[in-house]
Amino acid sequence: MSYGSTTSACRALLQRDLSLVWRQRGDALNPVLFAVMVVALFPFALGPEPTMLARIAAGTVLVALLLAGLLSLDALFRSDLEDGSLEQLVLSPHPLALLLACKIAVHWLTTALPLLLVAPLLGELLYLPQPVLPVLMVALVLSTPLLSLIGAVCVALTVGMRRSGMLLALLVLPLYVPVLIFAAGACNAAQQGLPVLAPLLWLGAGLALALVLAPLACAAALRISLS
Amino acid sequence: MNPLVLWFHKLGSPPYFYRFAGRLLPWFWGAALAGLAIGLYGGLVLAPADYQQSDAFRIIYVHVPSAWMSLFIYAFMAVNGFIALVWRIKLSETLAMAAAPIGAAFTFICLATGSIWGKPMWGTWWTWDARLTSELVLLFLYLGVLGLHQAIEDRRQAARAAAFLALIGIVNLPIVHFSVNWWNTLHQGDTVKLFGPSLIDSRMLWPLLVMAVATKFLFAASLLSRARVDLLELESGKDWARQIALAEERA
Amino acid sequence: MSEFVSMGGYGGYVWSAIAIFLVTLALEAAAPLLKRRRVLRELRGRLRRARKSNEENT
């Protein structure tokens, strides 16, 4: 029996996931809405002075995007588990890590990319200083895929559970700490006029490492929780 | 077969391990309690007061051994988790999961006593210092492992998933430590070094080393008694577990 | 003796740290003993039920 090539399997998977998201495009905007609401709460809590808000702007945007991403992670394998296609993926003759990497890529495209697009708007809401914005965007471009990759491993571990939300946060947040530190570190350095290259390079190194290792770890975790 | 290897294989069988651990337990508890008593007496009474920190430095005798144990137990858990995932040895799963709550307890002690020490020395209960923060992340990792183990119904699958999480954690832990160090540091440097001369008076040092050994014994004792109970629960359908239950009833 | 208790003015800090250490470890050591009792009780209950249903069947 012939199975077709691995590339065609990946392409089919990407097409299927993207069209599934497209048919429910209303849901895809939920994380964006959540991030906007979280950011809007900060001026209410801290007062409207522009200097104060400008100081916390970059960090707040990072945390808001991180939480929005966390919220959407839960759904990464949910519908596939319910309709049984996740088991089909695990049983398929193609390398599971590669297929999962495709799924994670789709997840990043559909949840993190809209968040990236609204990030300048969120920064503007909090009076983010103009020179910091490009650094914030670069940090986000490097850190959001990293967050999706790390998160996917933890989602794979909790995949069978009915109420996994709180537990998922507990598993994921300690692993997010270094990413947040380097992303926020770059923004703070930019705000103080210091060189920003080092933390961004660390983020890039982390991303390169996670791109290779996280899909493998995700596949191993999925095999454990579906066994 | 080599007798040592044979013995190792036998140790992997739950009823044999149960009896073997039961014989070791009183010795381990005894060594742990004696060590704690000697170490605390040496630390609190015999050791001279520090010239900078006066008597407040005596918190070191519970704080530093706990910090060492929190890392040691995490490594132990990860190694056993690795063995459990690769060779699927039931005993390793049990040992890895029995170690998690003990490690969490030591991490909690380390954080609590550290903050009590910080109050007179730094003037605050908590600072976002690099080591304190990594220790806090370590506590979250322990809680994550425990939470995942609790949340999955099937005990063996739960142990494997939690062991996998422990392995991810041990990859992440050096990264967390490095990043937090890069972010902020204020903690005093290492005063006890494995290689080269320590920066501590020998009258202050020996109780610390005794405490370190005593906490190792305490961990071993608690680990074995937890593993015994977990095996009993895991194997409650088997004959040897039934016989133990009936023997206890008659006694 | 009171000098020993006061620890050069740091008594509260030192003794509370020692107390946290000892109490946490005592609780941690007691947990498996309690669990052992529960596990054995459940096991005996299950055996008793099995024996009873056996007697009813024969």
Side-chain angles (χ1 to χ4, degrees), chain B residues 11-40:
Chain B
L11 194 62
S13 113
Y16 184 81
F17 176 83
Y18 186 91
R19 283 196 305 274
F20 180 72
R23 274 205 299 277
L24 282 182
L25 264 178
W27 297 100
F28 281 1
W29 280 123
L33 291 178
L36 283 185
I38 296 170
L40 283 178

PDB file of all heavy atoms in Angstrom, chain B residues 11-40:
ATOM      1  N   LEU B  11      15.257  -6.315  42.380  1.00  0.00           N
ATOM      2  CA  LEU B  11      14.828  -5.106  43.070  1.00  0.00           C
ATOM      3  C   LEU B  11      13.698  -4.420  42.313  1.00  0.00           C
ATOM      4  O   LEU B  11      12.864  -3.737  42.897  1.00  0.00           O
ATOM      5  CB  LEU B  11      16.020  -4.155  43.206  1.00  0.00           C
ATOM      6  CG  LEU B  11      15.852  -2.994  44.171  1.00  0.00           C
ATOM      7  CD1 LEU B  11      15.647  -3.528  45.566  1.00  0.00           C
ATOM      8  CD2 LEU B  11      17.073  -2.106  44.136  1.00  0.00           C
ATOM      9  N   GLY B  12      13.655  -4.629  40.992  1.00  0.00           N
ATOM     10  CA  GLY B  12      12.607  -4.010  40.189  1.00  0.00           C
ATOM     11  C   GLY B  12      11.239  -4.616  40.431  1.00  0.00           C
ATOM     12  O   GLY B  12      10.237  -4.025  40.060  1.00  0.00           O
ATOM     13  N   SER B  13      11.173  -5.789  41.075  1.00  0.00           N
ATOM     14  CA  SER B  13       9.870  -6.402  41.302  1.00  0.00           C
ATOM     15  C   SER B  13       9.244  -5.816  42.571  1.00  0.00           C
ATOM     16  O   SER B  13       9.889  -5.791  43.617  1.00  0.00           O
ATOM     17  CB  SER B  13      10.018  -7.919  41.413  1.00  0.00           C
ATOM     18  OG  SER B  13       9.731  -8.347  42.707  1.00  0.00           O
ATOM     19  N   PRO B  14       8.001  -5.323  42.469  1.00  0.00           N
ATOM     20  CA  PRO B  14       7.399  -4.610  43.596  1.00  0.00           C
ATOM     21  C   PRO B  14       7.416  -5.341  44.937  1.00  0.00           C
ATOM     22  O   PRO B  14       7.810  -4.733  45.931  1.00  0.00           O
ATOM     23  CB  PRO B  14       5.983  -4.327  43.111  1.00  0.00           C
ATOM     24  CG  PRO B  14       6.129  -4.214  41.642  1.00  0.00           C
ATOM     25  CD  PRO B  14       7.188  -5.195  41.261  1.00  0.00           C
ATOM     26  N   PRO B  15       7.020  -6.654  45.026  1.00  0.00           N
ATOM     27  CA  PRO B  15       7.019  -7.265  46.368  1.00  0.00           C
ATOM     28  C   PRO B  15       8.414  -7.341  46.974  1.00  0.00           C
ATOM     29  O   PRO B  15       8.591  -7.085  48.174  1.00  0.00           O
ATOM     30  CB  PRO B  15       6.434  -8.659  46.127  1.00  0.00           C
ATOM     31  CG  PRO B  15       6.379  -8.855  44.687  1.00  0.00           C
ATOM     32  CD  PRO B  15       6.489  -7.546  44.013  1.00  0.00           C
ATOM     33  N   TYR B  16       9.426  -7.634  46.128  1.00  0.00           N
ATOM     34  CA  TYR B  16      10.789  -7.699  46.659  1.00  0.00           C
ATOM     35  C   TYR B  16      11.225  -6.333  47.148  1.00  0.00           C
ATOM     36  O   TYR B  16      11.779  -6.192  48.239  1.00  0.00           O
ATOM     37  CB  TYR B  16      11.749  -8.219  45.568  1.00  0.00           C
ATOM     38  CG  TYR B  16      13.152  -8.395  46.076  1.00  0.00           C
ATOM     39  CD1 TYR B  16      13.499  -9.552  46.792  1.00  0.00           C
ATOM     40  CD2 TYR B  16      14.110  -7.417  45.886  1.00  0.00           C
ATOM     41  CE1 TYR B  16      14.766  -9.700  47.278  1.00  0.00           C
ATOM     42  CE2 TYR B  16      15.386  -7.561  46.385  1.00  0.00           C
ATOM     43  CZ  TYR B  16      15.710  -8.712  47.081  1.00  0.00           C
ATOM     44  OH  TYR B  16      16.972  -8.861  47.585  1.00  0.00           O
ATOM     45  N   PHE B  17      10.930  -5.295  46.332  1.00  0.00           N
ATOM     46  CA  PHE B  17      11.307  -3.941  46.726  1.00  0.00           C
ATOM     47  C   PHE B  17      10.609  -3.547  48.014  1.00  0.00           C
ATOM     48  O   PHE B  17      11.198  -2.923  48.894  1.00  0.00           O
ATOM     49  CB  PHE B  17      10.945  -2.950  45.625  1.00  0.00           C
ATOM     50  CG  PHE B  17      11.224  -1.526  45.994  1.00  0.00           C
ATOM     51  CD1 PHE B  17      12.490  -0.995  45.854  1.00  0.00           C
ATOM     52  CD2 PHE B  17      10.220  -0.722  46.526  1.00  0.00           C
ATOM     53  CE1 PHE B  17      12.755   0.306  46.218  1.00  0.00           C
ATOM     54  CE2 PHE B  17      10.487   0.577  46.897  1.00  0.00           C
ATOM     55  CZ  PHE B  17      11.755   1.088  46.750  1.00  0.00           C
ATOM     56  N   TYR B  18       9.328  -3.954  48.138  1.00  0.00           N
ATOM     57  CA  TYR B  18       8.556  -3.600  49.335  1.00  0.00           C
ATOM     58  C   TYR B  18       9.233  -4.142  50.589  1.00  0.00           C
ATOM     59  O   TYR B  18       9.450  -3.416  51.566  1.00  0.00           O
ATOM     60  CB  TYR B  18       7.141  -4.167  49.203  1.00  0.00           C
ATOM     61  CG  TYR B  18       6.227  -3.741  50.313  1.00  0.00           C
ATOM     62  CD1 TYR B  18       5.470  -2.594  50.194  1.00  0.00           C
ATOM     63  CD2 TYR B  18       6.119  -4.491  51.480  1.00  0.00           C
ATOM     64  CE1 TYR B  18       4.631  -2.185  51.201  1.00  0.00           C
ATOM     65  CE2 TYR B  18       5.290  -4.093  52.497  1.00  0.00           C
ATOM     66  CZ  TYR B  18       4.548  -2.942  52.352  1.00  0.00           C
ATOM     67  OH  TYR B  18       3.730  -2.534  53.362  1.00  0.00           O
ATOM     68  N   ARG B  19       9.633  -5.411  50.543  1.00  0.00           N
ATOM     69  CA  ARG B  19      10.282  -6.003  51.721  1.00  0.00           C
ATOM     70  C   ARG B  19      11.650  -5.387  51.963  1.00  0.00           C
ATOM     71  O   ARG B  19      12.007  -5.050  53.090  1.00  0.00           O
ATOM     72  CB  ARG B  19      10.418  -7.518  51.527  1.00  0.00           C
ATOM     73  CG  ARG B  19       9.129  -8.274  51.749  1.00  0.00           C
ATOM     74  CD  ARG B  19       9.407  -9.762  51.928  1.00  0.00           C
ATOM     75  NE  ARG B  19      10.159 -10.320  50.806  1.00  0.00           N
ATOM     76  CZ  ARG B  19       9.593 -10.762  49.689  1.00  0.00           C
ATOM     77  NH1 ARG B  19       8.283 -10.726  49.547  1.00  0.00           N
ATOM     78  NH2 ARG B  19      10.314 -11.248  48.721  1.00  0.00           N
ATOM     79  N   PHE B  20      12.408  -5.219  50.865  1.00  0.00           N
ATOM     80  CA  PHE B  20      13.763  -4.672  50.962  1.00  0.00           C
ATOM     81  C   PHE B  20      13.736  -3.266  51.575  1.00  0.00           C
ATOM     82  O   PHE B  20      14.467  -2.957  52.522  1.00  0.00           O
ATOM     83  CB  PHE B  20      14.378  -4.646  49.562  1.00  0.00           C
ATOM     84  CG  PHE B  20      15.763  -4.113  49.497  1.00  0.00           C
ATOM     85  CD1 PHE B  20      16.827  -4.857  49.988  1.00  0.00           C
ATOM     86  CD2 PHE B  20      16.010  -2.860  48.954  1.00  0.00           C
ATOM     87  CE1 PHE B  20      18.111  -4.361  49.926  1.00  0.00           C
ATOM     88  CE2 PHE B  20      17.300  -2.358  48.888  1.00  0.00           C
ATOM     89  CZ  PHE B  20      18.350  -3.116  49.383  1.00  0.00           C
ATOM     90  N   ALA B  21      12.813  -2.407  51.062  1.00  0.00           N
ATOM     91  CA  ALA B  21      12.705  -1.040  51.561  1.00  0.00           C
ATOM     92  C   ALA B  21      12.258  -1.046  53.016  1.00  0.00           C
ATOM     93  O   ALA B  21      12.725  -0.234  53.820  1.00  0.00           O
ATOM     94  CB  ALA B  21      11.717  -0.247  50.704  1.00  0.00           C
ATOM     95  N   GLY B  22      11.375  -2.009  53.350  1.00  0.00           N
ATOM     96  CA  GLY B  22      10.908  -2.087  54.731  1.00  0.00           C
ATOM     97  C   GLY B  22      12.051  -2.380  55.686  1.00  0.00           C
ATOM     98  O   GLY B  22      12.083  -1.866  56.814  1.00  0.00           O
ATOM     99  N   ARG B  23      13.023  -3.202  55.248  1.00  0.00           N
ATOM    100  CA  ARG B  23      14.169  -3.498  56.118  1.00  0.00           C
ATOM    101  C   ARG B  23      15.094  -2.291  56.258  1.00  0.00           C
ATOM    102  O   ARG B  23      15.685  -2.071  57.306  1.00  0.00           O
ATOM    103  CB  ARG B  23      14.943  -4.691  55.563  1.00  0.00           C
ATOM    104  CG  ARG B  23      14.394  -6.019  56.036  1.00  0.00           C
ATOM    105  CD  ARG B  23      15.465  -7.104  56.006  1.00  0.00           C
ATOM    106  NE  ARG B  23      15.976  -7.310  54.658  1.00  0.00           N
ATOM    107  CZ  ARG B  23      15.401  -8.076  53.748  1.00  0.00           C
ATOM    108  NH1 ARG B  23      14.256  -8.674  54.024  1.00  0.00           N
ATOM    109  NH2 ARG B  23      15.930  -8.233  52.572  1.00  0.00           N
ATOM    110  N   LEU B  24      15.225  -1.507  55.159  1.00  0.00           N
ATOM    111  CA  LEU B  24      16.144  -0.360  55.209  1.00  0.00           C
ATOM    112  C   LEU B  24      15.575   0.809  56.001  1.00  0.00           C
ATOM    113  O   LEU B  24      16.325   1.574  56.611  1.00  0.00           O
ATOM    114  CB  LEU B  24      16.437   0.132  53.786  1.00  0.00           C
ATOM    115  CG  LEU B  24      17.432  -0.652  52.967  1.00  0.00           C
ATOM    116  CD1 LEU B  24      17.620   0.009  51.619  1.00  0.00           C
ATOM    117  CD2 LEU B  24      18.773  -0.724  53.681  1.00  0.00           C
ATOM    118  N   LEU B  25      14.231   0.940  55.960  1.00  0.00           N
ATOM    119  CA  LEU B  25      13.606   2.155  56.485  1.00  0.00           C
ATOM    120  C   LEU B  25      14.034   2.557  57.889  1.00  0.00           C
ATOM    121  O   LEU B  25      14.418   3.713  58.099  1.00  0.00           O
ATOM    122  CB  LEU B  25      12.085   2.015  56.428  1.00  0.00           C
ATOM    123  CG  LEU B  25      11.434   2.632  55.196  1.00  0.00           C
ATOM    124  CD1 LEU B  25       9.945   2.399  55.229  1.00  0.00           C
ATOM    125  CD2 LEU B  25      11.739   4.104  55.120  1.00  0.00           C
ATOM    126  N   PRO B  26      13.985   1.663  58.899  1.00  0.00           N
ATOM    127  CA  PRO B  26      14.340   2.109  60.261  1.00  0.00           C
ATOM    128  C   PRO B  26      15.745   2.687  60.323  1.00  0.00           C
ATOM    129  O   PRO B  26      15.968   3.684  61.021  1.00  0.00           O
ATOM    130  CB  PRO B  26      14.254   0.831  61.090  1.00  0.00           C
ATOM    131  CG  PRO B  26      13.551  -0.162  60.268  1.00  0.00           C
ATOM    132  CD  PRO B  26      13.618   0.256  58.846  1.00  0.00           C
ATOM    133  N   TRP B  27      16.697   2.100  59.562  1.00  0.00           N
ATOM    134  CA  TRP B  27      18.075   2.608  59.569  1.00  0.00           C
ATOM    135  C   TRP B  27      18.123   4.015  59.010  1.00  0.00           C
ATOM    136  O   TRP B  27      18.792   4.889  59.551  1.00  0.00           O
ATOM    137  CB  TRP B  27      18.984   1.687  58.762  1.00  0.00           C
ATOM    138  CG  TRP B  27      19.067   0.321  59.355  1.00  0.00           C
ATOM    139  CD1 TRP B  27      18.385  -0.784  58.950  1.00  0.00           C
ATOM    140  CD2 TRP B  27      19.839  -0.071  60.483  1.00  0.00           C
ATOM    141  NE1 TRP B  27      18.685  -1.839  59.750  1.00  0.00           N
ATOM    142  CE2 TRP B  27      19.584  -1.442  60.697  1.00  0.00           C
ATOM    143  CE3 TRP B  27      20.727   0.599  61.337  1.00  0.00           C
ATOM    144  CZ2 TRP B  27      20.181  -2.154  61.734  1.00  0.00           C
ATOM    145  CZ3 TRP B  27      21.323  -0.111  62.359  1.00  0.00           C
ATOM    146  CH2 TRP B  27      21.053  -1.459  62.558  1.00  0.00           C
ATOM    147  N   PHE B  28      17.403   4.207  57.899  1.00  0.00           N
ATOM    148  CA  PHE B  28      17.422   5.537  57.268  1.00  0.00           C
ATOM    149  C   PHE B  28      16.799   6.576  58.189  1.00  0.00           C
ATOM    150  O   PHE B  28      17.325   7.673  58.358  1.00  0.00           O
ATOM    151  CB  PHE B  28      16.690   5.503  55.924  1.00  0.00           C
ATOM    152  CG  PHE B  28      17.520   4.924  54.821  1.00  0.00           C
ATOM    153  CD1 PHE B  28      18.808   4.462  55.073  1.00  0.00           C
ATOM    154  CD2 PHE B  28      17.019   4.824  53.540  1.00  0.00           C
ATOM    155  CE1 PHE B  28      19.574   3.925  54.061  1.00  0.00           C
ATOM    156  CE2 PHE B  28      17.780   4.292  52.518  1.00  0.00           C
ATOM    157  CZ  PHE B  28      19.056   3.835  52.777  1.00  0.00           C
ATOM    158  N   TRP B  29      15.645   6.239  58.789  1.00  0.00           N
ATOM    159  CA  TRP B  29      15.013   7.198  59.696  1.00  0.00           C
ATOM    160  C   TRP B  29      15.951   7.515  60.857  1.00  0.00           C
ATOM    161  O   TRP B  29      16.102   8.675  61.249  1.00  0.00           O
ATOM    162  CB  TRP B  29      13.699   6.662  60.252  1.00  0.00           C
ATOM    163  CG  TRP B  29      12.531   6.791  59.333  1.00  0.00           C
ATOM    164  CD1 TRP B  29      11.748   5.780  58.892  1.00  0.00           C
ATOM    165  CD2 TRP B  29      12.010   7.988  58.740  1.00  0.00           C
ATOM    166  NE1 TRP B  29      10.774   6.265  58.045  1.00  0.00           N
ATOM    167  CE2 TRP B  29      10.911   7.612  57.944  1.00  0.00           C
ATOM    168  CE3 TRP B  29      12.378   9.333  58.809  1.00  0.00           C
ATOM    169  CZ2 TRP B  29      10.161   8.542  57.223  1.00  0.00           C
ATOM    170  CZ3 TRP B  29      11.635  10.254  58.078  1.00  0.00           C
ATOM    171  CH2 TRP B  29      10.546   9.856  57.307  1.00  0.00           C
ATOM    172  N   GLY B  30      16.588   6.460  61.387  1.00  0.00           N
ATOM    173  CA  GLY B  30      17.487   6.667  62.528  1.00  0.00           C
ATOM    174  C   GLY B  30      18.636   7.587  62.156  1.00  0.00           C
ATOM    175  O   GLY B  30      18.932   8.568  62.860  1.00  0.00           O
ATOM    176  N   ALA B  31      19.276   7.297  60.997  1.00  0.00           N
ATOM    177  CA  ALA B  31      20.403   8.130  60.577  1.00  0.00           C
ATOM    178  C   ALA B  31      19.949   9.564  60.346  1.00  0.00           C
ATOM    179  O   ALA B  31      20.646  10.517  60.716  1.00  0.00           O
ATOM    180  CB  ALA B  31      21.008   7.569  59.288  1.00  0.00           C
ATOM    181  N   ALA B  32      18.752   9.730  59.747  1.00  0.00           N
ATOM    182  CA  ALA B  32      18.262  11.081  59.460  1.00  0.00           C
ATOM    183  C   ALA B  32      18.038  11.855  60.748  1.00  0.00           C
ATOM    184  O   ALA B  32      18.490  13.004  60.881  1.00  0.00           O
ATOM    185  CB  ALA B  32      16.969  11.013  58.655  1.00  0.00           C
ATOM    186  N   LEU B  33      17.346  11.220  61.722  1.00  0.00           N
ATOM    187  CA  LEU B  33      17.030  11.943  62.958  1.00  0.00           C
ATOM    188  C   LEU B  33      18.301  12.257  63.733  1.00  0.00           C
ATOM    189  O   LEU B  33      18.473  13.380  64.242  1.00  0.00           O
ATOM    190  CB  LEU B  33      16.052  11.134  63.812  1.00  0.00           C
ATOM    191  CG  LEU B  33      14.649  11.050  63.189  1.00  0.00           C
ATOM    192  CD1 LEU B  33      13.739  10.204  64.062  1.00  0.00           C
ATOM    193  CD2 LEU B  33      14.074  12.447  63.000  1.00  0.00           C
ATOM    194  N   ALA B  34      19.226  11.272  63.812  1.00  0.00           N
ATOM    195  CA  ALA B  34      20.479  11.524  64.535  1.00  0.00           C
ATOM    196  C   ALA B  34      21.259  12.647  63.858  1.00  0.00           C
ATOM    197  O   ALA B  34      21.776  13.567  64.524  1.00  0.00           O
ATOM    198  CB  ALA B  34      21.318  10.247  64.566  1.00  0.00           C
ATOM    199  N   GLY B  35      21.318  12.604  62.521  1.00  0.00           N
ATOM    200  CA  GLY B  35      22.040  13.638  61.789  1.00  0.00           C
ATOM    201  C   GLY B  35      21.436  15.010  62.012  1.00  0.00           C
ATOM    202  O   GLY B  35      22.155  15.990  62.229  1.00  0.00           O
ATOM    203  N   LEU B  36      20.108  15.077  61.968  1.00  0.00           N
ATOM    204  CA  LEU B  36      19.441  16.373  62.184  1.00  0.00           C
ATOM    205  C   LEU B  36      19.752  16.899  63.576  1.00  0.00           C
ATOM    206  O   LEU B  36      20.052  18.090  63.755  1.00  0.00           O
ATOM    207  CB  LEU B  36      17.925  16.235  62.023  1.00  0.00           C
ATOM    208  CG  LEU B  36      17.375  16.145  60.608  1.00  0.00           C
ATOM    209  CD1 LEU B  36      15.862  16.137  60.642  1.00  0.00           C
ATOM    210  CD2 LEU B  36      17.864  17.304  59.770  1.00  0.00           C
ATOM    211  N   ALA B  37      19.689  15.988  64.575  1.00  0.00           N
ATOM    212  CA  ALA B  37      19.941  16.435  65.954  1.00  0.00           C
ATOM    213  C   ALA B  37      21.369  16.954  66.088  1.00  0.00           C
ATOM    214  O   ALA B  37      21.598  18.053  66.624  1.00  0.00           O
ATOM    215  CB  ALA B  37      19.685  15.277  66.919  1.00  0.00           C
ATOM    216  N   ILE B  38      22.350  16.184  65.571  1.00  0.00           N
ATOM    217  CA  ILE B  38      23.748  16.613  65.688  1.00  0.00           C
ATOM    218  C   ILE B  38      23.979  17.906  64.915  1.00  0.00           C
ATOM    219  O   ILE B  38      24.588  18.855  65.405  1.00  0.00           O
ATOM    220  CB  ILE B  38      24.686  15.506  65.158  1.00  0.00           C
ATOM    221  CG1 ILE B  38      24.573  14.264  66.032  1.00  0.00           C
ATOM    222  CG2 ILE B  38      26.124  15.993  65.113  1.00  0.00           C
ATOM    223  CD1 ILE B  38      25.275  13.067  65.458  1.00  0.00           C
ATOM    224  N   GLY B  39      23.460  17.953  63.690  1.00  0.00           N
ATOM    225  CA  GLY B  39      23.678  19.117  62.840  1.00  0.00           C
ATOM    226  C   GLY B  39      23.081  20.374  63.444  1.00  0.00           C
ATOM    227  O   GLY B  39      23.719  21.433  63.465  1.00  0.00           O
ATOM    228  N   LEU B  40      21.835  20.256  63.945  1.00  0.00           N
ATOM    229  CA  LEU B  40      21.196  21.445  64.515  1.00  0.00           C
ATOM    230  C   LEU B  40      21.898  21.874  65.798  1.00  0.00           C
ATOM    231  O   LEU B  40      22.098  23.074  66.040  1.00  0.00           O
ATOM    232  CB  LEU B  40      19.710  21.177  64.782  1.00  0.00           C
ATOM    233  CG  LEU B  40      18.827  21.218  63.537  1.00  0.00           C
ATOM    234  CD1 LEU B  40      17.379  20.898  63.892  1.00  0.00           C
ATOM    235  CD2 LEU B  40      18.894  22.577  62.865  1.00  0.00           C
TER     236      LEU B  40
END
